[in-house]
Amino acid sequence: MTLETDLLKRQLEYRKRFMEKINEIHSSSNLNTILIQLKDSIAELFKAERLTIYVVDQKTRSLMSKVKSGNEIQQISVAIDNNSLAGYCAFSGSILNIKNAYDSHELRMISSDLCFDVNWDKKTGFHTSQVLCVPMKFNTSLIGVMQLINKKEGSAFDETDLSYASELATSLSIAIHNIFRLSASTKIIRNKSRYNYLLDKNRLDEADIQKASVHPDLAAIGLDHLLMRDFNISREEMAKCLSLNFGTDFISFDPGLPRLDDVLKRIKPDRLQKERWVPVKIDGGVLQVAMEDPTDLAKQDLIKFIYQEYKRISFLGAFRDDIGRFIEHYYRLAGSGHREASSSISELLSQLDTSEDPSIEQEVQRVSEQDSVIVQLVNKIICDAHERHASDIHIEPAPGREDVQVRIRIDGRCMVYQRIPYKYKHAVTSRIKIMAGLDIAERRKPQDGKIDFKKFGPVDLELRVATLPSAGQLEDVVMRILASGEPVPFDNLGLTERNRRVFTDNIKKPYGLILVVGPTGSGKTTTLHSAVSTINVPETKIWTAEDPIEITQKGLRQVQVNGKIGFTFAVALRAFLRADPDVIMVGEMRDEETASIGVESSLTGHLVFSTLHTNSAPETITRLLDMGMDPFSFSDALLCILAQRLARRLCGACKETYRPEGGELQEIIAEYGTEQFGGLGLEQATLTLSRAKGCPECNGSGYKGRLGLHELLECGEEMKGLIKNKAEVAQLRRRAIADGMTTLKQDGILKCLQGLTDIHEVRRVCIK
């Protein structure tokens, strides 16, 4: 009788403690209390070593839980499939009671596909044996999974454990469902009242808020910034509005605040970026924390849990971008977490999770373009490309599990810079699109934009961004690093004595048309600015129309054209003619209208500079005539045409000088033209050439920097006559050579003989 009484007494005491725990669960106001604070005491009820409570993440259709590691809270995710016990429990909706998780036969008896994920045990050194998984359901909806691990006495979980676990799972389902419902309703109320100040002031209406709420950029930059950007709300107005709504002070980024190393070392910067909060200062023993939403009770509880030694914590409002700047600033000062300036690309890549996952699309969607490592990685790619003097950066994702290839173009040649794990192909491109102000939701058509990099990184430079849809519903991104700064001195262009003399004479004339031609990236804009700099004096009014403005000069009036609003080169040219110019520089003659206005302007007393995409100087004439130019007006207006290419310059530290063999030399002479080479008066027996070798100074390539190859066609009287008669290209070329023009290849060969480049480079960029 005594044994039965003792047993009944123990059962009643256990039931009492169990119901107390049930009451604690139902009185919890947020999810963190259940997932983190209560689980150890619940596990103790079952005499289990561990309890994990998973909640279904509706966005990714996976299981999510939180664990405390030291002073830091980490989030873990488990796919709803057969690859884990909790995942199978959620997938099948059935209870699992496993005696030995490592017994594959026992698992196969439940399901032929069921397996136990041993990665967690390997990572932590913990050994999992008995496992009890119970699905948590509210009505017919799956809320999550409750997983008990290892009975302390080593036996399997019994029927009593199973009964209490099922009852506990039901209570957890109800409590978590109510927390979600309350959170959703609170969010609706908050969103309606959040902008009351701006609504009352008629700065916004409810339709504006509704429109912004469905904008594709919402997830990337947030509703506050969308309203400021699209409806012309100032930061001061928005800060006042949010401060009144939250009932708290609002803080802006202040780089002068002291370091908080002891506070920040407890949590990683990528976690702060994800949850959008950061400790900013300690004032009178009160820890002040900036939050995007300082009324978020769940986040407040989490912060109080992390910083339990602070009896008072003050929660301040802050804009999302200011929180990001605080995080970057503090962690850069502390020398930990955010080491963008010093971290190598390999160190950053090592921080990325490269584990395999059977579902590619699920994996790439989990990675946020706002993750701290992704932000650092993109910044590092741009900084490294700038330091290596690259002109372009190519981000090239591939379908499936192939890594993302990053290539950079240095001195006109592409080279592989790095490979990034495939899971980050959407995150990297999305991050770049956010920086360029592009639509991250649009992946079906090309987009273009610009990045003002000084807003994001330590280098003051501008990049032109182009995105292109590629195979596998992916996007390639190409970023051109714009050559900002001062123009290259005219004497450094590398013109021969004849070309320098003729070009200088023409740019000093009071009116006429001067063209610089060549393919994209051949240095045409650099040459134009260098030429204009020689006549840029206070007595001369110079207007320029460019797309984009890459080089700035004091004294020029520079205009950025914008085709999206109809402000084309032709429109800019017409406007210049009404603005009293002496000299006009037009970025490009893309069409007949622009070319016609340029010719007309040069005939009415203005000196006009422009560029064209043609292969050679003589071909430029026929191209413009084919566009519909009047040959008489054009011939009268034209002063000269400079065609150019850029070849790689041999590295001065390692280039080898050698005497060419007879066969090689004769081949070069034939390419130059035997008769014309003879006219140079050079002694063939003493001629030397140089070739690439490779050293650390040039990264083993043998080349460092580039130099220009030029051909300059001067429009004399005989040439004007040929233009008026619409002569063929061959006739125009013969006349230009007779007037003293050296072709692009001839100019390149002369520079080979000077040891500046080699014949392979000349042949690569020149045909004739």
Side-chain angles (χ1 to χ4, degrees):
M1 188 69 180
T2 305
L3 291 174
E4 291 180 2
T5 303
D6 288 344
L7 178 61
L8 181 59
K9 185 177 180 180
R10 286 197 300 271
Q11 288 176 345
L12 289 173
E13 287 177 353
Y14 182 85
R15 184 69 187 175
K16 181 182 178 182
R17 286 191 291 129
F18 182 81
M19 292 309 297
E20 286 174 352
K21 200 56 59 182
I22 293 287
N23 291 333
E24 280 189 64
I25 289 170
H26 284 295
S27 62
S28 299
S29 60
N30 65 80
L31 201 56
N32 285 326
T33 302
I34 296 174
L35 298 187
I36 300 169
Q37 295 180 338
L38 294 180
K39 65 176 186 176
D40 289 341
S41 57
I42 296 173
E44 187 61 35
L45 279 175
F46 290 90
K47 295 182 180 179
E49 291 185 11
R50 288 192 177 180
L51 167 70
T52 304
I53 301 170
Y54 292 98
V55 177
V56 174
D57 185 338
Q58 296 295 343
K59 290 183 180 178
T60 61
R61 292 302 300 167
S62 62
L63 297 175
M64 178 277 294
S65 188
K66 296 183 179 182
V67 295
K68 188 169 183 286
S69 177
N71 288 317
E72 187 172 347
I73 308 300
Q74 295 182 346
Q75 184 168 304
I76 57 175
S77 295
V78 174
I80 299 178
D81 55 26
N82 294 345
N83 292 319
S84 68
L85 302 182
Y88 177 80
C89 176
F91 181 73
S92 64
S94 57
I95 296 173
L96 287 183
N97 190 1
I98 308 296
K99 294 180 181 178
N100 183 0
Y102 284 86
D103 186 347
S104 57
H105 175 71
E106 181 182 0
L107 300 183
R108 283 199 300 271
M109 292 297 290
I110 298 170
S111 171
S112 58
D113 298 327
L114 181 60
C115 61
F116 170 60
D117 185 357
V118 300
N119 288 327
W120 183 258
D121 279 11
K122 287 181 178 179
K123 187 184 294 186
T124 61
F126 184 82
H127 183 79
T128 301
S129 295
Q130 305 88 25
V131 180
L132 176 60
C133 289
V134 183
M136 302 187 309
K137 294 182 179 180
F138 181 81
N139 294 332
T140 58
S141 300
L142 179 69
I143 300 296
V145 170
M146 186 184 81
Q147 179 175 266
L148 287 159
I149 300 176
N150 290 4
K151 286 279 279 190
K152 288 183 178 179
E153 60 264 26
S155 60
F157 290 101
D158 57 25
E159 289 299 321
T160 302
D161 294 324
L162 189 60
S163 174
Y164 275 108
S166 298
E167 186 177 350
L168 183 66
T170 301
S171 294
L172 284 168
S173 303
I174 296 169
I176 293 172
H177 171 77
N178 288 334
I179 289 172
F180 284 161
R181 183 170 55 81
L182 181 62
S183 175
S185 62
T186 303
K187 186 175 180 181
I188 292 169
I189 294 168
R190 278 206 310 264
N191 281 344
K192 285 183 177 179
S193 62
R194 185 182 183 94
Y195 305 109
N196 274 346
Y197 174 79
L198 296 174
L199 292 169
D200 292 342
K201 294 286 185 181
N202 292 321
R203 297 290 285 113
L204 287 175
D205 57 40
E206 292 187 3
D208 297 333
I209 299 172
Q210 182 61 34
K211 182 179 178 182
S213 299
V214 295
H215 195 283
D217 290 348
L218 178 66
I221 65 175
L223 188 56
D224 300 336
H225 280 270
L226 266 175
L227 293 172
M228 288 189 287
R229 186 189 74 182
D230 294 350
F231 299 99
N232 199 29
I233 306 296
S234 69
R235 287 178 74 91
E236 292 75 18
E237 287 179 298
M238 184 59 76
K240 184 175 181 179
C241 172
L242 296 177
S243 181
L244 290 170
N245 173 65
F246 295 143
T248 63
D249 290 334
F250 216 80
I251 189 169
S252 298
F253 174 66
D254 180 3
L257 289 174
R259 290 163 57 162
L260 296 173
D261 292 1
D262 290 339
V263 174
L264 292 167
K265 69 183 180 182
R266 303 189 192 182
I267 192 161
K268 293 181 180 178
D270 55 346
R271 190 59 188 271
L272 295 176
Q273 290 278 16
K274 285 181 182 178
E275 297 181 353
R276 297 174 190 140
W277 62 273
V278 61
V280 290
K281 60 182 176 178
I282 301 171
D283 188 4
V286 178
L287 177 64
Q288 297 191 355
V289 178
M291 300 173 64
E292 188 176 33
D293 182 0
T295 62
D296 188 331
L297 297 178
K299 226 164 256 176
Q300 286 187 13
D301 284 346
L302 176 66
I303 295 166
K304 290 174 182 176
F305 184 74
I306 295 171
Y307 301 112
Q308 296 180 31
E309 73 275 20
Y310 287 95
K311 301 303 179 186
R312 290 183 59 201
I313 299 178
S314 174
F315 299 100
L316 311 174
F319 288 122
R320 184 183 299 188
D321 59 339
D322 280 339
I323 290 172
R325 292 168 72 189
F326 270 122
I327 294 168
E328 291 184 6
H329 175 68
Y330 281 136
Y331 281 90
R332 186 161 53 239
L333 282 179
S336 63
H338 188 89
R339 297 173 297 165
E340 182 179 291
S342 60
S343 293
S344 68
I345 191 73
S346 58
E347 288 175 333
L348 291 173
L349 288 173
S350 69
Q351 296 179 44
L352 299 176
D353 176 19
T354 56
S355 59
E356 291 295 322
D357 191 293
S359 172
I360 295 172
E361 286 307 312
Q362 280 186 5
E363 192 61 50
V364 296
Q365 287 168 12
R366 283 182 201 167
V367 182
S368 168
E369 67 278 352
Q370 295 297 330
D371 281 352
S372 176
V373 179
I374 296 298
V375 172
Q376 294 177 57
L377 182 64
V378 172
N379 286 4
K380 185 64 177 173
I381 291 170
I382 294 172
C383 289
D384 280 1
H386 175 67
E387 288 174 7
R388 298 188 189 190
H389 305 289
S391 60
D392 301 87
I393 305 168
H394 301 255
I395 312 293
E396 301 169 338
R401 295 181 181 274
E402 290 188 45
D403 289 343
V404 179
Q405 181 173 260
V406 181
R407 294 195 290 169
I408 57 177
R409 187 182 295 278
I410 300 176
D411 295 336
R413 301 297 295 270
C414 278
M415 59 171 284
V416 175
Y417 163 72
Q418 194 54 258
R419 294 182 183 275
I420 300 171
Y422 71 89
K423 293 191 293 186
Y424 299 88
K425 54 190 171 187
H426 289 307
V428 170
T429 55
S430 294
R431 173 61 186 167
I432 294 170
K433 289 169 76 174
I434 288 170
M435 294 168 73
L438 303 180
D439 184 356
I440 62 172
E442 179 56 74
R443 295 178 181 170
R444 299 167 299 171
K445 62 184 181 182
Q447 297 184 68
D448 60 88
K450 290 178 186 174
I451 296 174
D452 184 3
F453 189 62
K454 66 184 177 184
K455 296 179 181 177
F456 306 98
V459 184
D460 184 3
L461 59 91
E462 189 175 32
L463 301 99
R464 188 165 57 198
V465 179
T467 69
L468 289 160
S470 53
Q473 296 181 330
L474 300 172
E475 281 182 296
D476 276 36
V477 180
V478 179
M479 293 180 281
R480 166 153 290 188
I481 301 174
L482 302 179
S484 58
E486 297 294 320
V488 174
F490 186 73
D491 290 339
N492 292 353
L493 289 178
L495 295 167
T496 61
E497 183 58 37
R498 180 261 176 185
N499 288 347
R500 183 189 296 110
R501 175 179 51 78
V502 173
F503 200 48
T504 302
D505 290 344
N506 282 294
I507 63 180
K508 290 183 178 178
K509 290 183 178 179
Y511 57 86
L513 177 63
I514 296 174
L515 299 174
V516 179
V517 303
T520 300
S522 59
K524 300 185 295 296
T525 302
T526 301
T527 299
L528 276 182
H529 269 281
S530 296
V532 169
S533 70
T534 65
I535 57 173
N536 182 11
V537 293
E539 294 79 16
T540 303
K541 179 63 178 281
I542 305 174
W543 283 100
T544 76
E546 303 171 68
D547 183 23
I549 297 173
E550 299 181 35
I551 300 171
T552 57
Q553 289 190 54
K554 188 176 180 180
L556 301 189
R557 307 311 301 156
Q558 295 178 265
V559 172
Q560 170 86 50
V561 301
N562 187 347
K564 293 179 181 178
I565 62 172
F567 186 37
T568 61
F569 284 118
V571 173
L573 255 176
R574 285 200 185 92
F576 289 168
L577 293 176
R578 298 190 293 271
D580 189 29
D582 295 306
V583 178
I584 297 171
M585 190 179 97
V586 187
E588 186 182 342
M589 286 186 171
R590 294 178 178 172
D591 49 54
E592 180 188 356
E593 184 182 14
T594 308
S596 298
I597 300 170
V599 169
E600 181 185 333
S601 303
S602 63
L603 291 173
T604 55
H606 306 100
L607 184 62
V608 179
F609 294 85
S610 190
T611 71
L612 212 67
H613 288 101
T614 53
N615 290 323
S616 67
E619 289 176 43
T620 304
I621 294 173
T622 57
R623 169 73 64 81
L624 286 166
L625 292 176
D626 288 343
M627 284 171 62
M629 294 296 96
D630 174 47
F632 290 90
S633 299
F634 176 49
S635 62
D636 288 341
L638 185 63
L639 296 177
C640 66
I641 303 172
L642 179 72
Q644 71 178 53
R645 298 289 187 279
L646 290 178
R648 290 187 294 174
R649 187 187 293 269
L650 288 170
C651 174
C654 66
K655 68 178 180 181
E656 288 183 337
T657 302
Y658 70 100
R659 186 159 292 172
E661 297 178 357
E664 181 184 4
L665 183 58
Q666 292 308 311
E667 189 176 351
I668 291 173
I669 292 172
E671 287 183 78
Y672 190 93
T674 305
E675 184 179 339
Q676 292 166 301
F677 191 87
L680 297 176
L682 300 174
E683 182 61 47
Q684 295 186 22
T686 61
L687 291 179
T688 59
L689 296 172
S690 297
R691 58 190 168 204
K693 182 181 179 183
C695 68
E697 189 74 18
C698 58
N699 293 320
S701 68
Y703 302 93
K704 189 173 183 181
R706 291 194 284 180
L707 76 160
L709 311 181
H710 308 93
E711 65 178 26
L712 182 61
L713 181 151
E714 187 177 15
C715 192
E717 291 304 319
E718 292 84 355
M719 183 65 71
K720 290 181 186 293
L722 291 174
I723 294 173
K724 289 172 183 175
N725 292 321
K726 296 187 177 181
E728 297 291 330
V729 173
Q731 291 178 271
L732 295 170
R733 180 176 289 107
R734 285 194 295 270
R735 181 67 257 168
I737 292 172
D739 289 339
M741 181 185 84
T742 53
T743 66
L744 286 165
K745 180 169 277 191
Q746 288 174 339
D747 192 58
I749 290 172
L750 291 175
K751 285 165 182 171
C752 288
L753 297 174
Q754 295 173 28
L756 300 176
T757 187
D758 59 24
I759 191 64
H760 305 294
E761 273 297 294
V762 174
R763 288 169 179 158
R764 183 178 68 84
V765 299
C766 301
I767 298 175
K768 297 180 182 178

